[in-house]
Each structure stands twice: as structure tokens, then as C-alpha cells.
Amino acid sequence: MTNIISREIQLVSRPNGIPTADNFALVQTELEPLQEQQVLVRNLYISVDPYMRGRMNDRKSYVPPFKLGKPLDGGAVGEVIESHAKEFKPGDVVTSNFGWREYFIASPQELHLVNREVQPLSVYLGVLGITGMTAWVGLNLVEVKAGDIIFISGAAGAVGNVAGQLAKLRGCRVIGSAGSLEKVRMLREECGFDVAFNYKTDPILEQLNLAAPDGIDVYFDNVGGETLEAALSALRVHGRIVACGSISGYNDEKPQPGPTNLFNMIAKRLTMKGLIVSDWLDRQSEFEQEVGGYFQAGKLKNQETVVTGIDRAVDAFIGLFDGKNVGKMVVKLN
Ligand code: NDP
């Protein structure tokens, strides 16, 4: 086979504030010939995620920063084109962390086989992928149970809508906040949320108090900032917080001061637990069984926004910070 020409997105400069197209380049490369124990994969869908913004800074965190002049990485679903390893054969569908590129070569240990009968295959970046797993882990982390009143921010985003649907399946009363009327409608009518409100139109705490006059038991935090502050006020005694994400601050050059009402942690004996989904990969098969079961039974919807073409991946990524996605933002490769 002649060598494969692949296009990939590289980070060429580190963003200050909101990333711009100039921080990235679409670069053509030629893959090396396939060696023993290697597999050639063509990506079908790639994921763009808010956490990637943190990796664009030159700062140590729980994952290393992206390198300049190198392809970015991230979640992807692809099809095996050629295999020199017995574990995979052409036509197999796999997930990997080799996103932001059209083709790649990997070892079998870097690939995870998925069922190609499950459609659309982008679901492996959404409810059946890391997104769904983050929602599932978050609910387990603070033992969300029937009867709990749970408030979820970023509710119409990838993790938020799954967390809400799973909480409904557990028998909770579910409240969500999102940034447009259309998203609020989707949460109520398609995802079964009991209440959803637009955090941009009226004060968050006012809307939360209207939705839950006696307070909330759990806050699933995807956004931080003012919404976290409102939730701290609305939580009941012994309430729990899942600290999943804080997108409202990801583009800040200087971190914002914390909530002014943090004393609620003490006064109400609250618990706040942080989560990094990759710590939980040993529970992946349990997640796949439970959440895959809900999906196959039609009890869980995969909400997504699909953008087509690797040349639109950067726009799709930047669009996350402007609320351009409903559900999981995925890029379909031609
Ligand atoms: P989303 O799909 O929710 O991300 C984009 C959405 O965030 C937008 O559509 C927008 O919705 C909302 N948003 C953007 N800017 C703001 C802002 N300033 N204030 C409030 N909302 C904003 O992403 P994910 O579901 O993938 O991730 C959700 C959160 O969870 C993120 O913070 C992410 O980093 C985190 N995460 C954490 C993981 C972990 O292991 N801890 C794993 C995966 C994700 P709107 O229109 O409603 O404003």
C-alpha cells in the first residue's frame, strides 16, 4: 500500500483568552509504512471538548499541555483500514485518543473496539463515550438517588443533558440551566427535565429558587462562576456538589475569585467532590453495560451537534465557548 496522506490540526500558538483560528493550522502529513503490531485507522468522527482549552496553556495540570507544532489529541471514533495485529481487522470500529486528524497508526493497546451496529457511531463520543461516562461517574460520586432534587448547569451541553436524563431514570427531580430558549425547550421536551431555565435572561438564584422553593440536594457543576454561587445558596443542609467543570472561567487570563458565599459549605455541612473521568476507566465496562442498556432500550437520547469536515474542527471547538452546540459537539470527517 502506498503511504497515506493525512491532514491534522496542530496548535501553532497559545491562545490568550478565547482561542482564535490563528492559534491553529491544518497541516498535511505522510504516514510511515505500517509495522508489525500496528493498526492503520481512518477517523470517522472527532471530538472537540472544553477541557482541551486548559491544555492549550503552557501550564501543568492533571493532563500535560499540548505541544506547539504537533497534532492535538482527543477522543475519536474510526474505522480500521489495515491491521498488522491479530486483535483488529479491517472494518472494525474503534475509539481512541488520536483525534484532530484524518488517519493515524496505533498499537492495539491504544484502541478500544466498539460495536459498529450501534448507530450513529458518533454515539461513542456522546452518551456511550467519555461524555456519558462523566455524567454517570458524577452521579455515582455523590450517590444521587430517587427523590433527590438535582440542579445541573451547562445542562444542554454534552455531559449535562446525559446527567439529567440519567438522574430522571434514577427517580430524581431534575432542574437544568442553559443559555437559550431553544436549549431550555429541548431539555424539557426531549430530555425529560422537570424544569429548565435560561441563565442569561434573569438572575440565576431567582430562577433556581422558583424551580426549587425548598432548596436542592445536589448540584452538578459544569460551569462554575455565578452559577456555582447560586447553587451554594440553594443547597439544603448536607447537600452535595459534583465539581465536574468550570467552563465560565476557562478563557480567563487571570482566575476569578471564588464564590463570595463559600461559608455555606460550613453552615450547611456541604460536600463538594471533584472528578476526573479518566480515574474511573476500570469501571468502563460497568458503565457500558448500564448506560448502553438504557440507550439500546430507547430510554436515553444521544443529543449532538454535528459539524462536517476537519477544516471546520477549529470553529466547532471555539463555538463551545459561545454555546453553539446542543448536546455533544462532534466533527464528522468526509
Ligand atoms: P459542553 O457541551 O457543555 O460545553 C459547551 C457549553 O458550555 C456551551 O454549549 C455553553 O452552553 C456552555 N458555556 C460556554 N461558556 C459558558 C459560560 N461562560 N457560562 C456558562 N456556560 C457556558 O461541554 P461538556 O459537556 O463536554 O463539558 C461540560 C463541563 O464538564 C466542562 O466544564 C468540561 O470541562 C467538564 N468536563 C469534565 C470532565 C472531567 O473529567 N472532570 C470530563 C468532561 C467534561 P450554553 O449555551 O448553555 O451557555
Side-chain angles (χ1 to χ4, degrees):
M1 201 178 202
T2 52
N3 287 359
I4 298 274
I5 303 294
S6 174
R7 289 181 300 165
E8 61 188 31
I9 309 272
Q10 298 185 355
L11 186 69
V12 293
S13 59
R14 301 202 181 274
N16 292 314
I18 297 177
T20 64
D22 298 344
N23 298 128
F24 306 88
L26 182 60
V27 175
Q28 190 163 298
T29 59
E30 186 177 346
L31 269 58
E32 298 287 319
L34 208 60
Q35 306 291 317
E36 272 313 294
Q37 282 304 106
Q38 286 189 329
V39 183
L40 171 66
V41 179
R42 179 171 71 90
N43 275 333
L44 304 171
Y45 293 96
I46 60 175
S47 182
V48 289
D49 301 89
Y51 82 89
M52 293 168 171
R53 174 63 187 86
R55 295 191 64 192
M56 290 171 189
N57 296 329
D58 194 14
R59 260 199 305 269
K60 254 197 179 160
S61 182
Y62 63 97
V63 271
F66 288 126
K67 292 197 172 104
L68 294 182
K70 296 280 175 205
L72 298 165
D73 53 42
V77 184
E79 181 179 30
V80 173
I81 301 294
E82 195 182 349
S83 176
H84 289 182
K86 63 178 182 330
E87 293 89 338
F88 295 98
K89 58 179 187 317
D92 282 347
V93 173
V94 293
T95 56
S96 77
N97 204 35
F98 290 91
W100 296 91
R101 67 201 82 187
E102 293 176 313
Y103 292 86
F104 65 90
I105 290 173
S107 64
Q109 305 84 275
E110 294 170 306
L111 304 173
H112 178 67
L113 184 69
V114 295
N115 179 358
R116 69 172 304 148
E117 303 303 319
V118 177
Q119 293 288 332
L121 290 169
S122 52
V123 76
Y124 291 111
L125 301 178
V127 290
L128 301 188
I130 288 299
T131 293
M133 190 155 165
T134 304
W136 179 81
V137 166
L139 299 185
N140 288 344
L141 193 64
V142 299
E143 296 171 11
V144 170
K145 57 182 189 313
D148 278 339
I149 300 178
I150 179 169
F151 168 49
I152 302 165
S153 57
V159 173
N161 90 83
V162 186
Q165 292 187 70
L166 290 177
K168 276 311 292 178
L169 287 167
R170 288 189 185 196
C172 302
R173 179 174 159 78
V174 181
I175 301 163
S177 63
S180 75
L181 203 63
E182 172 56 21
K183 290 184 180 188
V184 162
R185 187 205 60 75
M186 185 277 290
L187 290 172
R188 289 205 199 110
E189 294 176 12
E190 296 174 36
C191 296
F193 279 57
D194 297 285
V195 185
F197 62 81
N198 183 344
Y199 71 92
K200 290 182 177 167
T201 50
D202 290 294
I204 299 168
L205 183 57
E206 248 173 51
Q207 300 196 74
L208 192 50
N209 285 340
L210 270 179
D214 298 324
I216 58 173
D217 299 295
V218 177
Y219 172 47
F220 195 118
D221 189 16
N222 286 313
V223 308
E226 197 189 331
T227 314
L228 171 60
E229 193 161 292
L232 282 164
S233 291
L235 277 155
R236 293 170 167 169
V237 169
H238 298 304
R240 296 101 80 200
I241 302 172
V242 184
C244 176
S246 196
I247 191 169
S248 70
Y250 289 176
N251 289 307
D252 290 345
E253 288 177 49
K254 202 168 138 229
Q256 298 293 319
T260 57
N261 58 349
L262 200 59
F263 190 76
N264 279 300
M265 292 294 297
I266 301 158
K268 297 193 220 173
R269 286 81 89 199
L270 304 177
T271 306
M272 184 173 191
K273 287 191 177 178
L275 96 89
I276 295 295
V277 66
S278 52
D279 292 347
W280 293 69
L281 293 180
D282 59 335
R283 303 269 303 266
Q284 192 168 3
S285 55
E286 191 188 330
F287 155 74
E288 285 173 352
Q289 206 168 358
E290 182 183 334
V291 177
Y294 292 140
F295 181 70
Q296 300 283 17
K299 293 179 177 170
L300 189 60
K301 291 201 173 108
N302 183 52
Q303 302 286 354
E304 62 180 12
T305 300
V306 182
V307 165
T308 303
I310 193 163
D311 51 339
R312 295 192 55 210
V314 168
D315 275 354
F317 170 68
I318 295 171
L320 291 171
F321 301 99
D322 202 17
K324 292 269 163 53
N325 60 310
V326 180
K328 178 78 192 94
M329 181 74 104
V330 293
V331 181
K332 184 175 191 290
L333 301 191
N334 303 313

